Structure formats: structure tokens, C-alpha cells
Amino acid sequence: MVDPRYATLAMTAGLALFVLLIRDRRGAPPPPALDAAIPAGIEIVVDDGATIATRRFGRRILVGRAPSADVRVDDPRVSRLHARIEMRDDGVYVEDLGSRNGTRVEGEAVAGNRRLERGDEISIGTASIIFRGVGSWK
């Protein structure tokens, strides 16, 4: 019968040889990947009547009076969740979320989704939102 201490010693020596001979052949680990999660988002200029500010958001912006809205417009003609501006694979779109007073782009009422072009002006109540484009930043 084999002494269990010798069996343990043999297994430990085998593992050490594996680590020294086999594992080291793999070489150094590859360099870390480039930052794959580059933040890309929507840039807009918001004129709510009191201030004018350029703001950058992620891929989706909610506009309305609700505290959860990304762009809050304090106007009784604006619904709690009035409109959504969303980046998709084929462009940036604005969608009216069933508001009572509607959403306009360049003076035309939005029915369903409407694709935005750089420089388009979105009118929601007294607020004016100008779509500046899409960018990547940190």
C-alpha cells in the first residue's frame, strides 16, 4: 500500500511541473481591450424660456414635467411625459408620447416617429430643443 503522503507529494510535484512547463508557454496575458463601452449620446440645446443650455445625454431622452424626465419643462401645456428623443441604428428620432398639445419639429406636428436632422428645432410647449447631433465623449 502506498503512503498517502507520497501520493500527495507526487500530485503536488505534478501540478508544479504543469504550472512551470505548460502554463508559462501561453505567454503574457494580452493587453487590455480598448474601451469598448465608448459613451455615445445625443447633444441638444435646451431653451426653456429661462435658460439656454447645451446638454449631452445617453441614447434616450425623456422630455416632460415629471421629476423623472431628463429634460424638465415647467409649462402647463407640457404633459408629464411628453416626448422621447431616441438614438437608433439608423438615426435619431423624436416621438410624441400621446401628449395633449403635441410635439412639433420645424413647425410640423409629429405623428408617430420622426427622424431628426442636425439643427432641427423641436417645440414642446414654450421650450425649444435644438438637436445638435450625436457624439462620443467621456
Side-chain angles (χ1 to χ4, degrees), residues 13-61:
L15 182 62
L17 281 174
F18 171 77
V19 168
L20 289 174
L21 297 177
I22 305 297
R23 187 168 182 204
D24 286 343
R25 284 190 200 169
R26 292 186 292 178
L34 295 174
D35 189 9
I38 297 172
I42 303 167
E43 183 174 278
I44 59 175
V45 175
V46 180
D47 178 1
D48 61 3
T51 59
I52 299 174
T54 300
R55 298 179 63 189
R56 294 175 174 167
F57 292 93
R59 300 180 65 83
R60 182 177 299 143
I61 305 169

Short mmCIF file of all heavy atoms in Angstrom, two decimals, residues 13-61:
data_model
loop_
_atom_site.label_atom_id
_atom_site.label_comp_id
_atom_site.label_asym_id
_atom_site.label_seq_id
_atom_site.Cartn_x
_atom_site.Cartn_y
_atom_site.Cartn_z
N ALA A 13 3.92 17.74 -6.92
CA ALA A 13 5.05 17.89 -7.84
C ALA A 13 4.54 17.93 -9.29
O ALA A 13 5.03 18.72 -10.10
CB ALA A 13 6.03 16.74 -7.65
N GLY A 14 3.55 17.12 -9.62
CA GLY A 14 2.97 17.12 -10.96
C GLY A 14 2.32 18.46 -11.28
O GLY A 14 2.47 19.00 -12.39
N LEU A 15 1.59 19.00 -10.35
CA LEU A 15 0.95 20.30 -10.54
C LEU A 15 1.98 21.40 -10.70
O LEU A 15 1.85 22.28 -11.55
CB LEU A 15 0.00 20.60 -9.37
CG LEU A 15 -0.77 21.91 -9.45
CD1 LEU A 15 -1.68 21.90 -10.67
CD2 LEU A 15 -1.58 22.12 -8.19
N ALA A 16 3.06 21.35 -9.91
CA ALA A 16 4.11 22.35 -10.01
C ALA A 16 4.79 22.27 -11.38
O ALA A 16 5.06 23.30 -12.02
CB ALA A 16 5.14 22.17 -8.90
N LEU A 17 5.05 21.06 -11.88
CA LEU A 17 5.63 20.91 -13.21
C LEU A 17 4.69 21.45 -14.29
O LEU A 17 5.13 22.09 -15.25
CB LEU A 17 5.96 19.44 -13.48
CG LEU A 17 7.25 18.93 -12.84
CD1 LEU A 17 7.38 17.43 -13.04
CD2 LEU A 17 8.45 19.64 -13.43
N PHE A 18 3.42 21.17 -14.15
CA PHE A 18 2.43 21.68 -15.11
C PHE A 18 2.47 23.21 -15.15
O PHE A 18 2.52 23.81 -16.21
CB PHE A 18 1.03 21.21 -14.73
CG PHE A 18 -0.06 21.86 -15.54
CD1 PHE A 18 -0.32 21.46 -16.83
CD2 PHE A 18 -0.82 22.89 -15.01
CE1 PHE A 18 -1.29 22.08 -17.58
CE2 PHE A 18 -1.80 23.51 -15.74
CZ PHE A 18 -2.04 23.10 -17.04
N VAL A 19 2.46 23.83 -13.97
CA VAL A 19 2.47 25.28 -13.91
C VAL A 19 3.75 25.85 -14.52
O VAL A 19 3.72 26.81 -15.28
CB VAL A 19 2.28 25.77 -12.45
CG1 VAL A 19 2.57 27.25 -12.32
CG2 VAL A 19 0.89 25.44 -11.97
N LEU A 20 4.89 25.21 -14.23
CA LEU A 20 6.16 25.72 -14.73
C LEU A 20 6.34 25.49 -16.23
O LEU A 20 6.82 26.37 -16.94
CB LEU A 20 7.32 25.07 -13.98
CG LEU A 20 7.49 25.51 -12.52
CD1 LEU A 20 8.58 24.68 -11.84
CD2 LEU A 20 7.83 26.98 -12.45
N LEU A 21 5.96 24.32 -16.71
CA LEU A 21 6.23 23.98 -18.11
C LEU A 21 5.10 24.36 -19.06
O LEU A 21 5.35 24.93 -20.12
CB LEU A 21 6.49 22.47 -18.22
CG LEU A 21 7.72 21.97 -17.46
CD1 LEU A 21 7.83 20.46 -17.58
CD2 LEU A 21 8.98 22.64 -17.97
N ILE A 22 3.90 24.04 -18.72
CA ILE A 22 2.78 24.23 -19.64
C ILE A 22 2.21 25.65 -19.55
O ILE A 22 2.03 26.32 -20.55
CB ILE A 22 1.65 23.22 -19.36
CG1 ILE A 22 2.19 21.79 -19.39
CG2 ILE A 22 0.49 23.41 -20.31
CD1 ILE A 22 2.75 21.37 -20.71
N ARG A 23 1.95 26.10 -18.37
CA ARG A 23 1.28 27.38 -18.19
C ARG A 23 2.13 28.53 -18.72
O ARG A 23 1.62 29.46 -19.33
CB ARG A 23 0.96 27.60 -16.72
CG ARG A 23 0.12 28.81 -16.49
CD ARG A 23 -0.41 28.84 -15.11
NE ARG A 23 -1.26 30.02 -14.97
CZ ARG A 23 -1.53 30.59 -13.83
NH1 ARG A 23 -1.06 30.08 -12.73
NH2 ARG A 23 -2.28 31.64 -13.78
N ASP A 24 3.43 28.48 -18.53
CA ASP A 24 4.29 29.56 -18.96
C ASP A 24 4.40 29.63 -20.47
O ASP A 24 4.78 30.66 -21.02
CB ASP A 24 5.67 29.43 -18.34
CG ASP A 24 5.67 29.80 -16.88
OD1 ASP A 24 4.70 30.45 -16.43
OD2 ASP A 24 6.63 29.44 -16.19
N ARG A 25 4.09 28.58 -21.19
CA ARG A 25 4.14 28.60 -22.65
C ARG A 25 3.08 29.51 -23.25
O ARG A 25 3.19 29.90 -24.39
CB ARG A 25 3.95 27.19 -23.20
CG ARG A 25 5.14 26.33 -23.05
CD ARG A 25 4.95 25.07 -23.83
NE ARG A 25 5.85 24.05 -23.34
CZ ARG A 25 5.78 22.80 -23.68
NH1 ARG A 25 4.84 22.39 -24.50
NH2 ARG A 25 6.63 21.94 -23.20
N ARG A 26 2.05 29.78 -22.50
CA ARG A 26 0.98 30.63 -23.02
C ARG A 26 1.43 32.07 -23.17
O ARG A 26 0.81 32.85 -23.88
CB ARG A 26 -0.24 30.58 -22.10
CG ARG A 26 -0.91 29.23 -22.11
CD ARG A 26 -2.16 29.25 -21.32
NE ARG A 26 -1.84 29.41 -19.91
CZ ARG A 26 -2.75 29.50 -18.96
NH1 ARG A 26 -4.02 29.44 -19.24
NH2 ARG A 26 -2.39 29.62 -17.71
N GLY A 27 2.48 32.44 -22.53
CA GLY A 27 3.00 33.80 -22.65
C GLY A 27 2.26 34.76 -21.74
O GLY A 27 1.39 34.39 -20.95
N ALA A 28 2.59 36.00 -21.92
CA ALA A 28 1.97 37.05 -21.10
C ALA A 28 0.51 37.23 -21.52
O ALA A 28 0.15 36.98 -22.67
CB ALA A 28 2.73 38.36 -21.28
N PRO A 29 -0.30 37.65 -20.59
CA PRO A 29 -1.70 37.89 -20.96
C PRO A 29 -1.78 39.03 -21.97
O PRO A 29 -0.93 39.91 -22.01
CB PRO A 29 -2.37 38.26 -19.64
CG PRO A 29 -1.28 38.69 -18.75
CD PRO A 29 -0.05 37.96 -19.20
N PRO A 30 -2.81 39.00 -22.82
CA PRO A 30 -2.94 40.06 -23.82
C PRO A 30 -3.19 41.41 -23.16
O PRO A 30 -3.68 41.47 -22.03
CB PRO A 30 -4.15 39.62 -24.65
CG PRO A 30 -4.93 38.74 -23.74
CD PRO A 30 -3.93 38.07 -22.85
N PRO A 31 -2.87 42.48 -23.85
CA PRO A 31 -3.14 43.80 -23.27
C PRO A 31 -4.64 44.00 -23.13
O PRO A 31 -5.43 43.38 -23.87
CB PRO A 31 -2.54 44.78 -24.29
CG PRO A 31 -2.49 44.01 -25.56
CD PRO A 31 -2.30 42.58 -25.18
N PRO A 32 -5.06 44.83 -22.21
CA PRO A 32 -6.50 45.04 -22.04
C PRO A 32 -7.10 45.62 -23.32
O PRO A 32 -6.45 46.37 -24.05
CB PRO A 32 -6.60 46.02 -20.88
CG PRO A 32 -5.24 46.55 -20.66
CD PRO A 32 -4.27 45.62 -21.29
N ALA A 33 -8.33 45.24 -23.58
CA ALA A 33 -9.02 45.71 -24.77
C ALA A 33 -9.24 47.21 -24.69
O ALA A 33 -9.25 47.80 -23.62
CB ALA A 33 -10.36 44.99 -24.91
N LEU A 34 -9.40 47.81 -25.86
CA LEU A 34 -9.74 49.23 -25.87
C LEU A 34 -11.06 49.42 -25.17
O LEU A 34 -11.86 48.49 -25.06
CB LEU A 34 -9.84 49.72 -27.32
CG LEU A 34 -8.55 49.70 -28.11
CD1 LEU A 34 -8.82 50.07 -29.55
CD2 LEU A 34 -7.53 50.64 -27.50
N ASP A 35 -11.32 50.61 -24.74
CA ASP A 35 -12.57 50.90 -24.06
C ASP A 35 -13.73 50.64 -25.01
O ASP A 35 -14.05 51.45 -25.86
CB ASP A 35 -12.58 52.34 -23.57
CG ASP A 35 -13.75 52.64 -22.67
OD1 ASP A 35 -14.47 51.70 -22.28
OD2 ASP A 35 -13.95 53.82 -22.36
N ALA A 36 -14.34 49.45 -24.87
CA ALA A 36 -15.41 49.05 -25.79
C ALA A 36 -16.71 49.78 -25.49
O ALA A 36 -17.58 49.86 -26.32
CB ALA A 36 -15.62 47.55 -25.72
N ALA A 37 -16.83 50.28 -24.30
CA ALA A 37 -18.07 50.95 -23.91
C ALA A 37 -17.89 52.46 -24.06
O ALA A 37 -18.00 53.20 -23.10
CB ALA A 37 -18.46 50.59 -22.49
N ILE A 38 -17.60 52.90 -25.27
CA ILE A 38 -17.44 54.33 -25.51
C ILE A 38 -18.81 54.98 -25.40
O ILE A 38 -19.73 54.59 -26.12
CB ILE A 38 -16.84 54.60 -26.89
CG1 ILE A 38 -15.44 54.00 -26.96
CG2 ILE A 38 -16.81 56.09 -27.20
CD1 ILE A 38 -14.83 54.04 -28.33
N PRO A 39 -18.98 55.92 -24.50
CA PRO A 39 -20.29 56.52 -24.37
C PRO A 39 -20.64 57.33 -25.62
O PRO A 39 -19.89 58.20 -26.02
CB PRO A 39 -20.18 57.42 -23.16
CG PRO A 39 -18.80 57.30 -22.66
CD PRO A 39 -18.02 56.44 -23.57
N ALA A 40 -21.72 56.98 -26.23
CA ALA A 40 -22.22 57.74 -27.38
C ALA A 40 -23.58 58.26 -27.01
O ALA A 40 -24.37 57.55 -26.40
CB ALA A 40 -22.29 56.86 -28.61
N GLY A 41 -23.86 59.47 -27.37
CA GLY A 41 -25.15 60.01 -26.97
C GLY A 41 -25.56 61.19 -27.81
O GLY A 41 -24.93 61.53 -28.81
N ILE A 42 -26.63 61.79 -27.37
CA ILE A 42 -27.29 62.86 -28.09
C ILE A 42 -26.94 64.19 -27.44
O ILE A 42 -26.96 64.32 -26.22
CB ILE A 42 -28.82 62.64 -28.04
CG1 ILE A 42 -29.16 61.27 -28.64
CG2 ILE A 42 -29.56 63.75 -28.76
CD1 ILE A 42 -30.59 60.83 -28.36
N GLU A 43 -26.63 65.18 -28.27
CA GLU A 43 -26.35 66.53 -27.77
C GLU A 43 -27.46 67.45 -28.24
O GLU A 43 -27.80 67.46 -29.43
CB GLU A 43 -25.00 67.01 -28.28
CG GLU A 43 -24.63 68.38 -27.74
CD GLU A 43 -23.24 68.79 -28.12
OE1 GLU A 43 -22.29 68.37 -27.45
OE2 GLU A 43 -23.11 69.54 -29.11
N ILE A 44 -28.03 68.19 -27.30
CA ILE A 44 -29.12 69.12 -27.61
C ILE A 44 -28.87 70.45 -26.93
O ILE A 44 -28.10 70.53 -25.96
CB ILE A 44 -30.49 68.56 -27.17
CG1 ILE A 44 -30.51 68.28 -25.67
CG2 ILE A 44 -30.88 67.33 -27.97
CD1 ILE A 44 -31.87 67.84 -25.13
N VAL A 45 -29.52 71.48 -27.45
CA VAL A 45 -29.54 72.79 -26.79
C VAL A 45 -30.97 73.00 -26.33
O VAL A 45 -31.91 72.91 -27.12
CB VAL A 45 -29.11 73.92 -27.76
CG1 VAL A 45 -29.26 75.27 -27.09
CG2 VAL A 45 -27.69 73.71 -28.24
N VAL A 46 -31.15 73.25 -25.04
CA VAL A 46 -32.48 73.41 -24.45
C VAL A 46 -32.69 74.87 -24.07
O VAL A 46 -31.91 75.43 -23.30
CB VAL A 46 -32.65 72.51 -23.20
CG1 VAL A 46 -34.02 72.68 -22.60
CG2 VAL A 46 -32.38 71.06 -23.54
N ASP A 47 -33.73 75.47 -24.63
CA ASP A 47 -34.14 76.83 -24.28
C ASP A 47 -35.53 76.72 -23.67
O ASP A 47 -36.52 76.53 -24.37
CB ASP A 47 -34.17 77.71 -25.52
CG ASP A 47 -34.64 79.14 -25.24
OD1 ASP A 47 -34.94 79.46 -24.07
OD2 ASP A 47 -34.71 79.93 -26.20
N ASP A 48 -35.60 76.78 -22.34
CA ASP A 48 -36.89 76.62 -21.66
C ASP A 48 -37.54 77.96 -21.32
O ASP A 48 -38.49 78.03 -20.54
CB ASP A 48 -36.74 75.78 -20.40
CG ASP A 48 -35.81 76.39 -19.38
OD1 ASP A 48 -35.31 77.51 -19.61
OD2 ASP A 48 -35.56 75.74 -18.34
N GLY A 49 -37.04 79.04 -21.89
CA GLY A 49 -37.60 80.36 -21.62
C GLY A 49 -36.84 81.10 -20.54
O GLY A 49 -36.77 82.31 -20.54
N ALA A 50 -36.24 80.37 -19.60
CA ALA A 50 -35.48 80.99 -18.52
C ALA A 50 -33.98 80.87 -18.77
O ALA A 50 -33.22 81.79 -18.48
CB ALA A 50 -35.84 80.35 -17.19
N THR A 51 -33.54 79.72 -19.29
CA THR A 51 -32.12 79.49 -19.53
C THR A 51 -31.93 78.79 -20.87
O THR A 51 -32.85 78.15 -21.39
CB THR A 51 -31.50 78.59 -18.43
OG1 THR A 51 -32.19 77.35 -18.42
CG2 THR A 51 -31.57 79.24 -17.07
N ILE A 52 -30.73 78.91 -21.38
CA ILE A 52 -30.33 78.19 -22.59
C ILE A 52 -29.09 77.39 -22.22
O ILE A 52 -28.12 77.95 -21.71
CB ILE A 52 -30.02 79.14 -23.76
CG1 ILE A 52 -31.25 79.97 -24.12
CG2 ILE A 52 -29.52 78.36 -24.96
CD1 ILE A 52 -30.98 81.04 -25.16
N ALA A 53 -29.14 76.08 -22.44
CA ALA A 53 -28.02 75.23 -22.06
C ALA A 53 -27.82 74.12 -23.07
O ALA A 53 -28.78 73.55 -23.58
CB ALA A 53 -28.26 74.63 -20.68
N THR A 54 -26.55 73.82 -23.35
CA THR A 54 -26.20 72.67 -24.18
C THR A 54 -26.04 71.49 -23.24
O THR A 54 -25.33 71.58 -22.24
CB THR A 54 -24.89 72.92 -24.94
OG1 THR A 54 -25.06 74.05 -25.78
CG2 THR A 54 -24.51 71.72 -25.78
N ARG A 55 -26.72 70.40 -23.56
CA ARG A 55 -26.69 69.22 -22.69
C ARG A 55 -26.42 67.98 -23.51
O ARG A 55 -26.83 67.88 -24.66
CB ARG A 55 -28.01 69.10 -21.94
CG ARG A 55 -28.24 70.32 -21.04
CD ARG A 55 -29.52 70.29 -20.30
NE ARG A 55 -29.58 69.18 -19.38
CZ ARG A 55 -30.69 68.84 -18.74
NH1 ARG A 55 -31.79 69.52 -18.90
NH2 ARG A 55 -30.69 67.81 -17.93
N ARG A 56 -25.74 67.03 -22.88
CA ARG A 56 -25.45 65.74 -23.51
C ARG A 56 -26.12 64.64 -22.71
O ARG A 56 -26.06 64.63 -21.48
CB ARG A 56 -23.95 65.50 -23.55
CG ARG A 56 -23.22 66.46 -24.45
CD ARG A 56 -21.75 66.25 -24.36
NE ARG A 56 -21.06 67.08 -25.33
CZ ARG A 56 -19.76 67.30 -25.31
NH1 ARG A 56 -19.02 66.75 -24.37
NH2 ARG A 56 -19.21 68.05 -26.23
N PHE A 57 -26.73 63.74 -23.43
CA PHE A 57 -27.44 62.63 -22.80
C PHE A 57 -26.98 61.33 -23.42
O PHE A 57 -26.21 61.33 -24.37
CB PHE A 57 -28.96 62.78 -23.00
CG PHE A 57 -29.56 63.93 -22.27
CD1 PHE A 57 -29.70 65.16 -22.89
CD2 PHE A 57 -29.97 63.80 -20.95
CE1 PHE A 57 -30.26 66.23 -22.22
CE2 PHE A 57 -30.53 64.87 -20.27
CZ PHE A 57 -30.66 66.09 -20.91
N GLY A 58 -27.53 60.23 -22.92
CA GLY A 58 -27.25 58.91 -23.48
C GLY A 58 -28.05 58.69 -24.75
O GLY A 58 -28.29 59.60 -25.53
N ARG A 59 -28.51 57.49 -24.93
CA ARG A 59 -29.21 57.12 -26.16
C ARG A 59 -30.69 57.45 -26.13
O ARG A 59 -31.37 57.33 -27.14
CB ARG A 59 -29.01 55.63 -26.43
CG ARG A 59 -27.54 55.27 -26.59
CD ARG A 59 -27.34 53.81 -26.85
NE ARG A 59 -27.90 53.36 -28.10
CZ ARG A 59 -27.30 53.46 -29.28
NH1 ARG A 59 -26.12 54.00 -29.35
NH2 ARG A 59 -27.88 53.00 -30.37
N ARG A 60 -31.23 57.82 -24.99
CA ARG A 60 -32.67 58.11 -24.89
C ARG A 60 -32.89 59.28 -23.94
O ARG A 60 -32.31 59.35 -22.87
CB ARG A 60 -33.39 56.88 -24.37
CG ARG A 60 -34.88 57.07 -24.27
CD ARG A 60 -35.59 55.81 -23.81
NE ARG A 60 -35.35 54.74 -24.76
CZ ARG A 60 -35.16 53.48 -24.42
NH1 ARG A 60 -35.20 53.13 -23.17
NH2 ARG A 60 -34.95 52.56 -25.33
N ILE A 61 -33.76 60.21 -24.36
CA ILE A 61 -34.09 61.39 -23.56
C ILE A 61 -35.60 61.46 -23.42
O ILE A 61 -36.32 61.41 -24.41
CB ILE A 61 -33.60 62.68 -24.24
CG1 ILE A 61 -32.11 62.62 -24.55
CG2 ILE A 61 -33.92 63.90 -23.39
CD1 ILE A 61 -31.63 63.73 -25.45
#
